[in-house]
Amino acid sequence: MVRKGRKLLRQCPELRVKVVLPSGRDAEVSVLATSKIGDLKVAAQKSLGQGFLKLLSPDGQLLNPTAALAELGLKDGDYLGAVVQSPLVATTNFAFALWCCGGGVVTWGELEEGGDCSPVQDRLQNVQSIHSTDFGQLTNVQTIHSTRGAFAASLGDGTVFAWGDPGCGGDPGSERNQLQNVKEIRTNWGAFAAILGDGTVVTWGNALAGGDSSQVQHHLKHVKEIFPTDAAFAALLHDGTVVAWGASCSGGDISGVREQLSNVQMIYATEDAFAAVLNDKTVVTWGGAEFGGDSKGVQGQLKDVQNVLTSRSEFFALLSDGTCVAWGYKPPPVGMHDQLKHMQGVCRNMAACAALLADGTVATWGSSTHGGDSSKVQDRLRDVREIVGTESAFAARLGDGRVLTWGDPKSGGDSDGVQHSLRHVQNIHSTDGAFVAVLADGTVVTWGDPYYGGDSRAVQQELQWLW
């Protein structure tokens, strides 16, 4: 007799499996026998306290999380291996994309600026069959590159798929069929440039930013590397010559320095200017004068250049005698030049700079409201390993895995709300108004303006399923 209003259900059996890491650490995980492999993965990540796992079959094959556990024929007490992946992050000005090499992608932030990759799903034959529409995952992703408003994913087979704002390269259009055997991709604010295996180049995106390379296409052969400014590209060929295209005010026109650009060893770029170091250790510059394209004021000092560091609008040449020569929009005050002899890197936002010095300390200058004044955290800025900036704030990752922030609170300069979570941080990335930190256990922590990706709560479940 069945009582009214009550259903009698047969209980689904559970399956107990041991998941083992390469270190030998393991955990026994229980899931329903009807579960997906992804459910087992999520349970294993919780038990082991380690995110971004890939599960391995007993014979060592990677397992697709969308497949059913029943397909493996597992029994209680069986073992599965697991490997820890290193998640990677790419950003547009408004959105984040996080992926693991060879696996899927999760995006968040402003949807029309790359935060939604679902429009490319119908073009991918190997998209995961589950969660693809909701979670926006691509598979077999090797690298992701970004412009201001679009992403492009390079897949393991050498093909490329893009999404986001079409005006920033979100749709390759007629160039899509040429994107085969892609080896490298470079980007600026609105265009992509891909180097193919035969040394030729395919470009797409905003024509004014270099998305149209038809005028120089016949010269783009035997390309060694491509360097971008904000709206132009410069290609270094294997013979040491240079080909440039895009906005002339951003370095897309080399007619004034073409004869000097031979035996080029390396090219560096600010937002709107290029600097080429020649084999004789001298420097040739072109592009926007205010962004470092005019180096006449310091040209006599640019000899025996060993390295060049760049911010958004300044060049910093490090000479063999330890001297630092700076030029561009707003070089650091003269009184700081001796301090910057030991500079390892520099980060500039809209109105301030933060330089990482060799002893792990930080020197800042510029607008105090944008992070040019770091006095509130200066005594704690020790053993700094990395500095990242939004448009008006900075974040420094310390050697012990903690993070310090300063600058505009709304753009990530205030991290008090997440400081308790910022431990064992491996790397930090930023959009124009938000930061994301990836922790050693795979946890993803975001802060800053939600419009720019500062709130990732909506994709936390997708991040657990990422493979």
Side-chain angles (χ1 to χ4, degrees):
M1 177 178 178
V2 179
R3 295 181 182 177
K4 186 177 180 180
R6 181 179 297 178
K7 291 184 178 179
L8 298 180
L9 300 177
R10 186 173 62 182
Q11 187 176 7
C12 183
E14 283 193 344
L15 181 66
R16 293 178 176 82
V17 178
K18 276 200 172 182
V19 178
V20 186
L21 294 173
S23 64
R25 189 160 63 94
D26 62 28
E28 185 174 84
V29 180
S30 297
V31 293
L32 296 178
T34 55
S35 299
K36 302 284 188 182
I37 291 172
D39 297 315
L40 179 61
K41 163 187 151 79
V42 171
Q45 289 177 159
K46 291 178 179 178
S47 295
L48 291 166
Q50 177 65 62
F52 299 110
L53 295 182
K54 276 190 176 180
L55 299 185
L56 306 175
S57 66
D59 60 356
Q61 300 299 310
L62 289 174
L63 297 176
N64 186 327
T66 66
L69 271 175
E71 296 177 10
L72 290 178
L74 295 175
K75 304 182 297 295
D76 269 353
D78 280 354
Y79 286 78
L80 289 179
V83 293
V84 180
Q85 304 169 96
S86 297
L88 303 171
V89 178
T91 69
T92 65
N93 288 36
F94 301 89
F96 292 103
L98 186 145
W99 79 100
C100 294
C101 188
V105 180
V106 175
T107 58
W108 71 95
E110 171 55 28
L111 298 181
E112 295 182 358
E113 303 290 346
D116 177 13
C117 62
S118 59
V120 299
Q121 298 305 315
D122 58 355
R123 304 179 200 161
L124 298 173
Q125 295 181 354
N126 58 347
V127 177
Q128 296 185 41
S129 59
I130 186 170
H131 306 300
S132 60
T133 300
D134 295 332
F135 291 359
Q137 295 183 341
L138 314 179
T139 59
N140 199 23
V141 173
Q142 304 299 304
T143 59
I144 293 181
H145 305 271
S146 61
T147 61
R148 183 177 67 181
F151 290 110
S154 297
L155 306 189
D157 60 2
T159 59
V160 174
F161 290 91
W163 67 95
D165 183 356
C168 291
D171 183 359
S174 61
E175 311 301 328
R176 184 178 297 115
N177 293 334
Q178 301 179 50
L179 292 172
Q180 308 289 329
N181 195 24
V182 173
K183 299 302 182 183
E184 297 283 347
I185 296 179
R186 294 291 180 264
T187 71
N188 59 27
W189 77 264
F192 293 90
I195 303 176
L196 307 187
D198 62 2
T200 59
V201 174
V202 176
T203 60
W204 73 96
N206 194 298
L208 298 177
D212 179 2
S213 57
S214 58
Q215 296 298 311
V216 296
Q217 195 64 48
H218 57 293
H219 294 301
L220 291 173
K221 300 175 182 178
H222 310 294
V223 174
K224 182 178 181 181
E225 194 163 356
I226 293 176
F227 304 88
T229 57
D230 215 29
F233 293 100
L236 176 59
L237 309 190
H238 280 281
D239 64 2
T241 60
V242 175
V243 178
W245 69 98
S248 58
C249 61
S250 194
D253 179 5
I254 59 172
S255 58
V257 294
R258 191 186 308 275
E259 294 184 358
Q260 302 174 55
L261 291 173
S262 60
N263 299 314
V264 174
Q265 186 179 77
M266 180 58 71
I267 298 175
Y268 302 89
T270 61
E271 279 195 351
D272 281 319
F274 291 103
V277 178
L278 310 186
N279 285 344
D280 63 2
K281 304 301 181 183
T282 60
V283 175
V284 176
T285 60
W286 71 98
E290 288 190 346
F291 289 82
D294 181 357
S295 56
K296 290 193 293 290
V298 296
Q299 197 64 48
Q301 304 173 57
L302 294 174
K303 299 176 182 179
D304 204 13
V305 174
Q306 301 300 301
N307 191 20
V308 177
L309 300 175
T310 66
S311 68
R312 292 169 62 168
S313 53
E314 296 90 15
F315 290 102
F316 304 83
L318 306 180
L319 311 187
S320 61
D321 63 0
T323 304
C324 175
V325 179
W327 71 98
Y329 179 56
K330 285 187 177 180
V334 174
M336 294 185 66
H337 283 200
D338 283 344
Q339 188 179 10
L340 297 180
K341 287 181 180 179
H342 308 292
M343 183 168 57
Q344 301 294 299
V346 61
C347 179
R348 168 178 267 284
N349 60 28
M350 184 184 296
C353 279
L356 176 58
L357 307 182
D359 62 359
T361 60
V362 174
T364 58
W365 65 94
S367 168
S368 59
T369 58
H370 288 68
D373 178 3
S374 55
S375 57
K376 291 184 178 180
V377 294
Q378 195 65 48
D379 61 333
R380 290 178 285 157
L381 286 172
R382 300 287 186 269
D383 194 22
V384 175
R385 304 299 177 86
E386 177 185 24
I387 302 174
V388 180
T390 59
E391 284 291 87
S392 54
F394 294 106
R397 177 174 62 85
L398 309 187
D400 61 4
R402 293 181 297 119
V403 173
L404 294 175
T405 59
W406 67 99
D408 181 7
K410 295 180 181 179
S411 291
D414 179 3
S415 56
D416 287 349
V418 294
Q419 267 300 325
H420 63 285
S421 300
L422 292 174
R423 297 291 185 268
H424 308 296
V425 174
Q426 300 297 293
N427 50 70
I428 306 172
H429 302 269
S430 66
T431 58
D432 278 0
F435 292 101
V436 59
V438 180
L439 279 54
D441 65 359
T443 304
V444 173
V445 180
T446 56
W447 71 97
D449 192 330
Y451 181 76
Y452 293 90
D455 185 351
S456 59
R457 286 176 295 180
V459 296
Q460 286 303 313
Q461 186 179 0
E462 293 95 307
L463 291 169
Q464 290 184 354
W465 270 73
L466 187 63
W467 67 301

